[in-house]
Amino acid sequence: METISLGTDKLTNFIDGEWQEANETAAVVNPATGEEIVQVPLSDEGAVERAVKAAKKAQKEWALVPAPQRAEVLYQVGYLMKQRKERLSQLLTMENGKVLEEARGEVQEGIDMAFYMAGEGRRLFGHTTPAELKDKFAMSQRAPVGVVGIITPWNFPIAIATWKSFPAIVAGNAVIWKPATETPVMAYELAKIFEEAGLPKGIINVVFGSGSVVGDAMVHHPDIRVISFTGSNETGRNIAGECGRQLKKVSLEMGGKNAVIVMDDADLDLAVDGILWSAFGTSGQRCTACSRVIVHEKVKTDLEERLLAKMKDLTIGNGLDEKNKVGPIINKAGLDKIKQYIEIGKNEGAKLLAGGSPLEDEAYRGGHYFAPTLFTDATADMRISREEIFGPVVSLIPVNSLEEAIEANNQVEYGLSSSIFTRDVNRVFQAQRDLDTGIVYVNAGTTGAEIHLPFGGTKGTGNGHRDSGVQALDVFTEWKAVYVDYSGKLQRAQIDVD
Ligand code: NAP
């Protein structure tokens, strides 16, 4: 395969339609090899200030452009992403490590989001509704909020940004985007696409830099009226605290501790495929990764054997080599955290059936690789069953009934995704009602969200908002109620109703 070249050794911010350098930079490293890909700006608060100034000015005009015309830019963005799908996918694999097949899937998600949100340019539905008085008309409509800030993580460097920026833009806002410093290449490529697609300058501004400087400046800036954040719970909670003080709208999508439930009547081969894909895809570094399998006691041994047999086929290595199914861990800190949880699991009394250590042979030199790991005989209250590990580690928790399985699923702080494998329709409907996550899959793993449905979680995963789906528009718009009285006299609503 011909290797794609990024075409620059230094990224620049994109502010007010101009490519601007920062004084300081840091190296972006390929997690599969340890090689430097490019230098990324470490911007200061001044860059955020310039971006907000440009965004404020540009947004006033953008809000007056009819939404179907705003949408034309998004269609163009979608076409350009489609043309460049292979380039984007390969660059994504280089900066993030996920295998190429998954990178292509992530880019496709962004393309789908572009066309879906472009369609919203001709909808952005409000309501018309009867008024309670004669000769009076009532409706509700969406209004843009103004300047919005989006802060994104490294594990989905392009898809998550499209879930947030596309609805914001079609709704008439201007955006300041701070991507994760670990994975800035997708942001640079997407900014170039926005520029080529003809988005007016100042409507999207990409400011690279650390969370503690650029992210913090965005959160504190009084003219950024929305923060849409995806990342860890710790960061999200701190952001929410500051936004609360400022009465700033904040949307949080955070961690998960997602479970697959396997009942005694399940198609076990199908369940195994679902578990492998959900637990070890992206090396377990998805917010929706399956890290618990809640299994009926009657099929536990059978499931263990089938999982162990199929885990042997997982080829691990550089994601650019299409024979590999599992890529590297993002960095050393991520690897160290996984190692710690293996020790925690062992000390808690879970039984290690496979994996449990980093891969350090010559073939893995330079990268950070961890063997797909299976624990069994875990209990729902162990730390490995409750805390987010963010690596290729899955624990089997035996139970004796559906009720027990649902209770175990719901026992965690998080509420992102859950899944059940069963052939019993009654169990399906009971489970989809009682599982307390924002996403429920039946006879599929815990990942595989489609962009036209709401994405997000309950409890510690979020704060009630959703990325993607038409629901994403709620984050980036205010509802406005409009009453038109054409009676020619003062009507005082409830007081004048007889
Ligand atoms: P993170 O450390 O919280 O970082 C996320 C983003 O926040 C990065 O851009 C980071 O910048 C920035 N940031 C850090 N400190 C900040 C601060 N004080 N103020 C403002 N911004 C700040 O999370 P991560 O490790 O990148 O991402 C993994 C987490 O994301 C996992 O918990 C995963 O479950 C979650 N996630 C959730 C979803 C979902 O939809 N629920 C989807 C994907 C991932 P720098 O990195 O540049 O410092």
Side-chain angles (χ1 to χ4, degrees):
M1 187 176 63
E2 203 184 319
T3 318
I4 297 282
S5 156
L6 179 55
T8 179
D9 55 8
K10 199 157 125 192
L11 304 181
T12 45
N13 288 326
F14 186 61
I15 298 175
D16 202 11
E18 286 172 9
W19 298 94
Q20 301 184 6
E21 291 196 3
N23 290 334
E24 275 185 69
T25 61
V28 179
V29 169
N30 182 337
T33 62
E35 287 160 11
E36 180 175 325
I37 305 172
V38 73
Q39 290 280 317
V40 59
L42 290 181
S43 311
D44 57 16
E45 293 86 349
V48 175
E49 197 55 56
R50 289 197 300 282
V52 174
K53 204 170 153 212
K56 263 181 91 173
K57 188 161 168 265
Q59 192 268 334
K60 286 202 170 70
E61 284 182 31
W62 185 240
L64 299 178
V65 174
Q69 271 184 43
R70 295 197 294 254
E72 288 301 322
V73 180
L74 282 190
Y75 279 119
Q76 196 54 29
V77 166
Y79 292 130
L80 289 169
M81 288 179 75
K82 211 169 163 180
Q83 271 173 17
R84 287 177 208 173
K85 181 172 172 183
E86 192 53 26
R87 172 185 171 80
L88 292 169
S89 306
Q90 289 192 28
L91 290 172
L92 171 48
T93 292
M94 281 182 220
E95 68 169 345
N96 165 282
K98 68 179 64 178
V99 298
L100 199 47
E101 187 185 23
E102 290 183 41
R104 289 186 185 122
E106 181 179 342
V107 174
Q108 186 58 46
E109 211 170 313
I111 296 167
D112 294 342
M113 192 67 185
F115 294 127
Y116 175 59
M117 275 299 148
E120 275 306 316
R122 288 187 184 270
R123 289 187 294 266
L124 284 173
F125 292 140
H127 297 103
T128 58
T129 180
E132 59 192 32
L133 294 170
K134 271 190 195 161
D135 298 331
K136 192 176 170 192
F137 183 85
M139 62 184 164
S140 63
Q141 62 191 34
R142 292 182 184 276
V145 186
V147 178
V148 307
I150 69 177
I151 300 177
T152 52
W154 53 263
N155 70 333
F156 281 86
I158 193 159
I160 291 176
T162 67
W163 294 353
K164 296 176 187 298
S165 63
F166 293 173
I169 287 170
V170 81
N173 300 283
V175 175
I176 320 284
W177 172 19
K178 192 214 94 61
T181 311
E182 214 90 49
T183 54
V185 174
M186 284 302 99
Y188 178 73
E189 290 287 306
L190 195 55
K192 283 201 294 190
I193 286 175
F194 273 123
E195 185 185 36
E196 283 176 53
L199 188 70
K201 61 181 196 166
I203 297 302
I204 185 112
N205 303 274
V206 178
V207 184
F208 297 106
S210 74
S212 55
V213 176
V214 172
D216 193 65
M218 287 168 62
V219 171
H220 281 87
H221 203 296
D223 291 334
I224 297 182
R225 295 311 306 156
V226 176
I227 293 287
S228 176
F229 167 84
T230 297
S232 63
N233 280 54
E234 194 190 346
T235 311
R237 274 176 204 272
N238 290 337
I239 289 176
E242 178 53 33
C243 289
R245 270 186 290 281
Q246 291 182 48
L247 300 181
K248 183 182 287 201
K249 206 170 177 184
V250 58
S251 160
L252 306 172
E253 292 298 343
M254 303 177 291
K257 190 70 191 174
N258 316 291
V260 167
I261 296 173
V262 182
M263 295 308 297
D264 50 347
D265 65 342
D267 175 338
L268 288 190
D269 285 331
L270 183 64
V272 165
D273 287 344
I275 293 164
L276 292 182
W277 169 238
S278 304
F280 304 128
T282 322
S283 305
Q285 301 169 110
R286 293 179 185 139
C287 51
T288 52
C290 161
S291 58
R292 301 183 291 157
V293 173
I294 302 169
V295 57
H296 198 287
E297 208 38 279
K298 283 188 194 158
V299 291
K300 190 193 92 161
T301 310
D302 197 351
L303 186 74
E304 281 169 6
E305 284 166 6
R306 290 178 201 230
L307 276 170
L308 286 170
K310 280 237 177 160
M311 279 171 72
K312 293 201 177 85
D313 297 337
L314 293 171
T315 37
I316 304 156
N318 190 333
L320 286 180
D321 182 340
E322 299 210 46
K323 78 169 188 311
N324 290 327
K325 295 288 169 230
V326 180
I329 303 302
I330 188 74
N331 53 28
K332 183 169 179 306
L335 197 76
D336 289 345
K337 183 175 167 197
I338 299 165
K339 283 198 274 186
Q340 276 171 18
Y341 273 103
I342 300 300
E343 291 314 307
I344 291 170
K346 285 187 203 160
N347 292 336
E348 286 178 314
K351 191 168 146 202
L352 187 63
L353 288 184
S357 51
L359 297 170
E360 285 162 346
D361 297 357
E362 187 56 26
Y364 303 111
R365 198 138 76 101
H368 306 287
Y369 293 91
F370 202 91
T373 297
L374 182 64
F375 276 114
T376 192
D377 295 335
T379 56
D381 56 355
M382 287 180 178
R383 282 182 66 193
I384 54 162
S385 307
R386 290 185 289 113
E387 298 174 14
E388 192 179 46
I389 301 174
F390 231 52
V393 181
V394 67
S395 308
L396 262 54
I397 304 170
V399 293
N400 284 300
S401 66
L402 178 62
E403 288 68 26
E404 224 188 292
I406 291 172
E407 196 185 327
N409 177 80
N410 294 354
Q411 208 172 316
V412 293
E413 178 198 343
Y414 302 105
L416 186 51
S417 175
S418 58
S419 124
I420 180 163
F421 284 85
T422 178
R423 291 179 167 114
D424 181 335
V425 70
N426 295 351
R427 282 171 161 176
V428 167
F429 275 87
Q430 186 184 339
Q432 64 82 24
R433 182 195 62 199
D434 295 342
L435 292 168
D436 68 359
T437 51
I439 307 169
V440 176
Y441 293 92
V442 176
N443 292 327
T446 53
T447 69
E450 301 184 24
I451 55 97
H452 53 297
L453 277 85
F455 183 93
T458 60
K459 304 191 292 185
T461 293
N463 65 340
H465 293 286
R466 292 293 184 266
D467 271 347
S468 87
V470 73
Q471 291 78 1
L473 291 167
D474 289 339
V475 176
F476 301 108
T477 55
E478 295 284 5
W479 279 110
K480 189 178 281 186
V482 180
Y483 302 96
V484 180
D485 191 317
Y486 55 97
S487 69
K489 57 186 183 203
L490 178 67
Q491 301 195 89
R492 296 169 298 170
Q494 292 79 7
I495 291 175
D496 292 323
V497 178
D498 293 319

